[in-house]
Amino acid sequence: MSDRQIDWIKLQKALAIEVETGFRDIVGKQYRFSEFLCLNLGDPSTSLSLEHKRQCQELASRFAQYPGLELSDRQHLIAKTRHFILQVRQTSPNPEGLRVAETAVTGKIPVTKPLVAFDSEITPDRPLLYLPKVGARKADVLAKLGLQTVRDLLFYYPRDHIDYARQINISQLQAGETVTILGTVRRCTCFTSPKNKKLTILEIIIEDRSGKIRLSRFLAGDRYSHRGRQETIKRQYPPGAVVAASGLVENNKYGLTLKDPQIEVLGDRQDAIDSVTIGRIVPIYPLTEGIAAETIRQAVIEALPAAKRLRDPFPRAFREGYGLIPLKDAIANIHFPENHEIKQAARRRLVFDEFFYLQLGFLQRRNQLRQSQTAASLAPTGKLIEEFYNILPFQLTKAQQRVINDVLKDLQKPNPMNRLIQGDVGSGKTVVAVIAILIAIQSGYQAALMAPTEVLAEQHYRKLISWFNLLHLPVELLTGSTKTAKRREIHSQLQTGELPLLVGTHALIQETVNFAKLGFVVIDEQHRFGVKQRATLLAKGEAPHVLTMTATPIPRTLALTMHGDLDVSQIDELPPGRQAIQTSILSGKERSQAYDLMRREIAQGRQVYIVFPLVEESEKLDVRAAVAEHEQLAESIFPEFQVGLLHGRMTSAEKDEAITAFRDNITQILVATTVVEVGVDVPNATVMMIENAERFGLSQLHQLRGRVGRGHAKSFCLLMTGSKSQNAMERLKVLEQSQDGFFISEMDLRFRGPGEVLGTRQTGLADFALASLVEDGEVLEIARDAAEKVLMQDESLASFPLMQAELNARYEKLMGGAILT
C-alpha cells in the first residue's frame, strides 16, 4: 500500500464537474473522470482507517464499471462517493485534507507573510481617519462602502483575486492566463492617439532571452496630452531598464500582449517588487462609484497590522479539530495571500466562520423554542381522526406515515412544534397537514392555513371542504376577493370559536382577523412569505404549533441557511400509480409534432396546458406571450377546440372562471403563465407544453411539469426552446433525465444560485460575504456539526464568551435583522 495522500479537494472538484456536465464521464487533460476516480481511490493513503480503506477500494471498483452504468446508477454512485468523502473529512484529524506546502510533513498549515510586518500599534477599533496613508478625504470615500474602522476594513473581503504571482518567460505566454514577466526595455514611445486627442498611448517593447513583447497603456484625459508630460512618462522607462509587468495575456493585431498591464521599473533582476499588484495574487474588492481599487488596497495594507490584535473566538483544540488556521492569519491571507494554498486555507476558515455563527444562532433559537411552553395541548388520537382515516379513498404511503409520526411526537410535547415538510409535487403533503389540523380541532383549538396565492388557497379550500363536509365540520376561505358581508361573517365566527378552520392568503394577517383560540398554523410555500408576515399570523395565537410546507424541494445547503431553526421532514415517496412524465426538449422545427400529440390526447378526452413566460409581448424580449398566442392558438391552430386563458393580471373572478372551465373540461386547452405553477389540480390533463423553457429555472419547470401526470393516463412535458446556448441545453437535459425534485433543485442551485432558485430574493436568505452555497456545501455541514457539538457542551455559551460576543455581533447582520420563524 502506498503512503500517498489522497487529494480530497481534487476529488470533490472532479465529482462536482461530472454532475454539472450531466454524468457523461468527461475527459480531462490526462484521464477520463472514471479513470481519475478509480486511480485515486484505488490507492488510498495509510492515514485512513482500515474501514475507510476498504470503502475506498470498493468505490474504486465501482468507478471501473462507471462507463457501462445507467444514468441513475451513475447519479447514485456519485452521491455515495460525496457522502463518503464528507465522512472521511469529518472523522479525519485534518478534515479538509488540505495539501499545502509542509502540511504532509509537519501537520501545520504554512502562513505567508503579509505585505506589512505585524509590528504596529494599530488597533481594530481605530477609525480609518487616523491611519497615516488614509486621512480624512479617503476616510470619507471609504465610508460610502460602510467602512468606518480598521475592523470594518479587515473584514471587507475581496470578491475575487487575480494571480500575477506566476512569473514566466515571454515565449511561454498563452492567451487567457494572468502572469508576470521580467524583461529589459528595448524601446518606449508616448504619444497622442491620432483618433482621439484626449487619449495618450504609452507603448513599451520589452525583451527577455526568449522573445519580445509590445505592451500598451492607455491614459485618458487632457492632462496627459501635453508633449512635456508625455516625455516625462517616457523617461520613466528608459532603454535598458529592467521592468516587471503583470496582466492578462491576450491576442491583438501585434500578437500576444498583456491587457492593461501593471508595470514597475526594478534596479535589476534580483530586486524585490514593491508594487501591491505586480508579481502577487491581487485582491479584487467590491467597489462603488468614486472609489478606486487602489484606494482600498492601500487602506487594507495600512490596516493589516491590526489583524494580530484580533481575538480568535475558537480555542486552539477546536481549530485543530476542524483544520482551521488562526483568525489573524486568515484575515491577512484573504487579502494578500502569498500562494493559492494559503489563500484557500484562509478562505475556508472565514467561510467556516460565516456558516458556524449562522448555525449557532439557528440552533440556539431552536433550543430556546423547545424550552418555551405552548398553550395548545393536543391529543394525537380521537374519534375525528378515526373518521378521517375511514373516509380517505387511498392508503397513505410509508413516507407520509413516517412524517405523520414526526408530527404526532411534536404535538405531544409541551413546547410548540416548528416543523417543515418538504415533498415533491403530488407527494401528499396536504393530507399530513389535514391530520394535524384535525388533531388541533378535536382538542378544542382553531387552525389556520395560509397560502401565497388565491389560486393555491382556492385549491386547498376545495380539497378541504370535500373532506370537512363528510366530517360535518365548517371551513371558510378568506382572500382579497372575499365580499364584505362574507368577510364580516367569517370574522364573527372566528371570534366566537364557531369556525374551526380558516384557509386564506395574506388576508389572514389583517388586524380585523382575530381567533378565539388559535392553536395550529399551516403555512404553504412558506419561502414566498416575508418573515414579518409569518410572525404576524403566529401572534394571533398563544405560541401555536406551526407546520410549514413546500412543494419546491430545497437543496440541503439552502434549507440549512433558510430553515436551520426548523425540524425538517421529507416525503420522498410518491403515491402508488403515479407514472413518470415523458419529458422532451423540442425546437421550433418540431412544433407541428407537439401540436399533433395534443390533438391525439384531446381526441381521447384528455386536456392540455400551454405555458408562456410573459402575459403580453415585450419589445425587449423575444419570447412568446400568453395573450397574443392565445388568440393565435384559438383561431388558427386549434379552432376545433375550446382554448382558455389564465394569467396573473386577471381578476380573481376571471381566474376562478378560467380554472373552473378547465377543471370541468369545458376548455380543452389552457393557455397560461406561471400562475398555474402551484394550486391547479386537474387529473385529466396529460400534456404540459412550456414555451421558451430556457427562461425558467429547473425547479420551476419541475413544478409546472407536476401539473400533469396526476391521473392514471400517460403524460407528457414538452420543453420548447429556440436557444442555441450550450448552458441552456445542459440545464434542460436535467429535466429530461430526472424526475427527482431534490436532485433537480440541487442542479438548479449549481446552475443559477440560491437567490434565483427561490424565485425572489427573500429576507430569510442569509447574506454571506465569502461563502457560496454551491461550492461550500461540505464546509456548511461541518460547521453545523461543530455548532451542535459546542451547544451540547455548553448550551448557554458561558464557557465560550468570545463565541457568544461574535454571535451577537454577526447574527443580526448576517440575517439582515430578520430571524426566521
Side-chain angles (χ1 to χ4, degrees):
M1 182 74 69
S2 163
D3 62 357
R4 179 185 62 82
Q5 297 288 318
I6 293 179
D7 190 333
W8 299 112
I9 294 176
K10 278 189 178 177
L11 286 184
Q12 287 163 348
K13 285 181 179 176
L15 290 162
I17 292 168
E18 175 69 2
V19 170
E20 287 167 9
T21 52
F23 306 93
R24 296 184 302 187
D25 199 12
I26 58 171
V27 180
K29 290 181 180 178
Q30 289 182 291
Y31 304 105
R32 278 191 169 278
F33 163 75
S34 55
E35 292 169 343
F36 178 74
L37 268 288
C38 199
L39 284 168
N40 277 272
L41 292 170
D43 186 17
S45 70
T46 51
S47 61
L48 293 178
S49 68
L50 288 174
E51 174 57 22
H52 281 157
K53 286 178 188 174
R54 185 193 65 75
Q55 288 177 272
C56 261
Q57 288 166 341
E58 185 181 298
L59 287 169
S61 66
R62 288 289 289 148
F63 276 106
Q65 302 163 359
Y66 189 85
L69 295 180
E70 296 290 329
L71 176 66
S72 59
D73 293 330
R74 290 185 178 190
Q75 292 171 350
H76 178 72
L77 176 58
I78 286 177
K80 184 178 178 182
T81 307
R82 293 174 105 166
H83 180 71
F84 168 70
I85 291 173
L86 177 61
Q87 260 189 332
V88 171
R89 291 171 62 192
Q90 285 177 326
T91 55
S92 160
N94 178 14
E96 177 63 10
L98 280 167
R99 296 184 64 197
V100 295
E102 302 170 19
T103 304
V105 180
T106 67
K108 295 179 181 178
I109 299 169
V111 177
T112 61
K113 292 180 182 177
L115 283 171
V116 291
F118 285 156
D119 57 0
S120 168
E121 295 305 309
I122 296 173
T123 62
D125 297 318
R126 178 177 290 189
L128 295 178
L129 170 69
Y130 300 114
L131 290 184
K133 292 184 182 177
V134 175
R137 189 179 64 80
K138 288 184 180 177
D140 286 342
V141 170
L142 293 169
K144 292 180 183 178
L145 292 168
L147 305 175
Q148 307 279 354
T149 67
V150 168
R151 186 185 301 274
D152 294 337
L153 203 52
L154 292 177
F155 286 88
Y156 191 68
Y157 305 139
R159 62 175 172 79
D160 202 355
H161 291 81
I162 298 178
D163 183 9
Y164 291 147
R166 181 166 169 254
Q167 185 179 320
I168 63 173
N169 293 328
I170 291 172
S171 64
Q172 296 173 305
L173 293 175
Q174 290 187 13
E177 295 181 337
T178 53
V179 298
T180 293
I181 56 173
L182 218 61
T184 303
V185 175
R186 283 290 163 250
R187 181 163 59 87
C188 177
T189 56
C190 190
F191 57 92
T192 301
S193 168
K195 296 181 181 178
N196 183 351
K197 298 300 180 186
K198 292 188 177 182
L199 184 67
T200 295
I201 301 173
L202 171 68
E203 279 193 354
I204 307 174
I205 305 293
I206 295 176
E207 182 180 45
D208 67 10
R209 291 179 181 179
S210 69
K212 291 181 183 179
I213 188 171
R214 180 198 301 258
L215 302 181
S216 300
R217 293 200 67 187
F218 301 94
L219 311 170
D222 290 332
R223 59 186 175 145
Y224 297 110
S225 60
H226 301 296
R227 191 66 210 144
R229 183 68 186 273
Q230 291 175 354
E231 285 297 318
T232 301
I233 294 171
K234 179 180 170 183
R235 283 197 294 271
Q236 293 176 24
Y237 308 98
V242 176
V243 297
S246 296
L248 173 69
V249 184
E250 67 171 9
N251 248 321
N252 67 13
K253 61 182 179 180
Y254 300 111
L256 289 175
T257 186
L258 301 184
K259 182 180 180 182
D260 301 325
Q262 302 288 323
I263 305 171
E264 180 179 337
V265 179
L266 307 177
D268 60 47
R269 290 178 178 271
Q270 277 68 50
D271 274 10
I273 299 173
D274 293 329
S275 168
V276 298
T277 55
I278 297 171
R280 298 183 182 277
I281 297 176
V282 181
I284 308 297
Y285 294 95
L287 300 175
T288 192
E289 190 177 352
I291 299 179
E294 209 56 33
T295 300
I296 296 192
R297 288 190 192 118
Q298 290 291 353
V300 168
I301 291 168
E302 287 285 299
L304 277 178
K308 71 169 184 178
R309 296 176 175 272
L310 293 172
R311 298 179 70 188
D312 197 329
F314 296 160
R316 182 173 178 177
F318 180 93
R319 291 199 309 266
E320 290 178 351
Y322 290 100
L324 305 171
I325 66 175
L327 179 62
K328 64 182 178 68
D329 298 330
I331 290 294
N333 288 288
I334 199 63
H335 290 288
F336 286 96
E338 191 172 281
N339 54 51
H340 283 288
E341 287 78 9
I342 192 62
K343 183 190 81 173
Q344 286 303 104
R347 184 183 180 279
R348 181 177 182 274
R349 162 64 203 260
L350 299 173
V351 166
F352 181 95
D353 282 21
E354 288 188 321
F355 284 144
F356 174 79
Y357 290 112
L358 176 68
Q359 296 305 319
L360 197 61
F362 272 143
L363 293 168
Q364 258 196 344
R365 178 175 166 76
R366 189 178 74 176
N367 290 347
Q368 289 164 5
L369 193 67
R370 285 176 173 174
Q371 290 165 10
S372 65
Q373 299 292 309
T374 178
S377 176
L378 308 185
T381 56
K383 188 178 178 183
L384 198 55
I385 299 296
E386 291 173 15
E387 287 179 19
F388 180 68
Y389 278 122
N390 288 334
I391 65 171
L392 268 183
F394 52 81
Q395 286 285 107
L396 296 175
T397 64
K398 289 179 181 177
Q400 283 174 310
Q401 196 60 61
R402 186 183 68 245
V403 173
I404 289 168
N405 289 338
D406 290 343
V407 171
L408 292 178
K409 286 176 188 174
D410 286 348
L411 296 180
Q412 292 175 69
K413 295 173 183 176
N415 47 280
M417 176 176 75
N418 205 14
R419 184 169 290 278
L420 168 69
I421 297 179
Q422 285 199 95
D424 221 331
V425 177
S427 60
K429 298 177 296 299
T430 307
V431 175
V432 175
V434 170
I435 289 169
I437 288 168
L438 292 174
I439 289 171
I441 292 172
Q442 75 178 6
S443 302
Y445 291 90
Q446 291 169 296
L449 191 160
M450 186 166 71
T453 66
E454 289 194 10
V455 171
L456 184 52
E458 170 78 21
Q459 178 67 39
H460 279 309
Y461 175 69
R462 283 177 174 275
K463 192 172 284 186
L464 285 164
I465 204 168
S466 66
W467 287 329
F468 273 50
N469 282 346
L470 295 173
L471 296 170
H472 309 291
L473 289 172
V475 56
E476 292 288 359
L477 175 68
L478 183 66
T479 70
S481 306
T482 305
K483 297 285 189 288
T484 303
K486 183 64 177 176
R487 189 181 295 269
R488 285 179 186 151
E489 181 188 334
I490 290 171
H491 291 169
S492 173
Q493 290 178 348
L494 277 180
Q495 288 179 317
T496 60
E498 295 170 66
L499 182 61
L501 173 61
L502 181 61
V503 179
T505 56
H506 303 75
L508 268 61
I509 63 175
Q510 292 173 345
E511 283 185 29
T512 50
V513 177
N514 295 301
F515 293 80
K517 201 177 180 183
L518 180 63
F520 194 84
V521 171
V522 180
I523 302 175
D524 196 13
E525 295 295 330
Q526 84 137 8
H527 61 278
R528 297 193 180 199
F529 291 102
V531 174
K532 288 181 181 176
Q533 291 170 324
R534 300 195 296 261
T536 302
L537 180 57
L538 302 191
K540 294 181 182 291
E542 291 183 35
H545 296 282
V546 183
L547 185 68
T548 55
M549 305 190 298
T550 178
T552 306
I554 302 173
R556 177 166 166 78
T557 52
L558 200 49
L560 279 177
T561 50
M562 282 190 68
H563 311 305
D565 53 347
L566 301 181
D567 296 307
V568 180
S569 293
Q570 191 167 305
I571 303 180
D572 51 8
E573 177 186 3
L574 290 177
R578 289 295 296 269
Q579 299 182 48
I581 300 162
Q582 184 176 318
T583 305
S584 307
I585 302 170
L586 303 178
S587 66
K589 295 176 183 176
E590 298 164 298
R591 184 173 296 280
S592 60
Q593 297 173 32
Y595 290 158
D596 289 344
L597 171 65
M598 293 178 189
R599 291 188 181 95
R600 287 198 301 273
E601 287 296 301
I602 295 171
Q604 295 178 55
R606 314 290 182 208
Q607 289 165 277
V608 170
Y609 294 98
I610 302 178
V611 174
F612 293 87
L614 292 179
V615 177
E616 295 169 351
E617 287 287 3
S618 164
E619 293 178 6
K620 294 181 180 178
L621 297 172
D622 181 22
V623 291
R624 303 167 75 86
V627 173
E629 290 300 322
H630 170 256
E631 293 178 16
Q632 168 81 356
L633 288 161
E635 294 171 10
S636 305
I637 299 171
F638 296 112
E640 69 272 35
F641 303 129
Q642 293 298 313
V643 183
L645 177 65
L646 178 67
H647 60 74
R649 293 186 193 171
M650 297 166 69
T651 65
S652 296
E654 289 170 335
K655 286 179 191 172
D656 191 48
E657 185 181 343
I659 292 169
T660 301
F662 190 63
R663 189 179 287 119
D664 296 342
N665 206 354
I666 295 168
T667 53
Q668 289 78 50
I669 299 173
L670 183 62
V671 175
T673 59
T674 55
V675 72
V676 299
E677 183 182 343
V678 291
V680 180
D681 187 3
V682 180
N684 194 49
T686 56
V687 180
M688 166 63 73
M689 184 166 86
I690 304 168
E691 295 283 359
N692 300 101
E694 74 281 357
R695 291 188 52 77
F696 296 89
L698 293 182
S699 293
Q700 194 173 26
L701 289 171
H702 181 60
Q703 284 274 18
L704 289 167
R705 175 169 64 180
R707 296 305 100 204
V708 296
R710 304 174 84 85
H712 297 294
K714 183 176 178 60
S715 293
F716 306 86
C717 178
L718 311 176
L719 305 175
M720 303 297 300
T721 179
S723 174
K724 299 291 191 289
S725 160
Q726 184 180 350
N727 182 267
M729 293 306 291
E730 284 179 359
R731 284 177 56 243
L732 294 180
K733 281 177 183 173
V734 173
L735 269 293
E736 265 192 335
Q737 296 166 354
S738 179
Q739 309 267 330
D740 181 347
F742 289 94
F743 171 73
I744 289 166
S745 68
E746 286 281 359
M747 296 303 293
D748 207 13
L749 180 64
R750 291 193 168 276
F751 278 117
R752 298 195 305 149
E756 292 295 322
V757 168
L758 293 173
T760 55
R761 171 92 191 182
Q762 297 291 321
T763 52
L765 182 59
D767 192 9
F768 300 113
L770 276 180
S772 161
L773 297 183
V774 177
E775 298 172 7
D776 301 314
E778 281 142 317
V779 181
L780 172 57
E781 295 278 2
I782 294 167
R784 173 81 171 191
D785 175 70
E788 286 174 342
K789 286 177 178 172
V790 165
L791 290 178
M792 282 172 62
Q793 188 174 335
D794 182 358
E795 195 170 312
S796 69
L797 295 182
S799 53
F800 302 104
L802 292 179
M803 274 189 201
Q804 182 66 71
E806 188 67 17
L807 174 63
N808 295 342
R810 280 176 177 253
Y811 193 63
E812 188 169 345
K813 183 178 177 183
L814 186 64
M815 295 307 298
I819 308 302
L820 299 182
T821 49

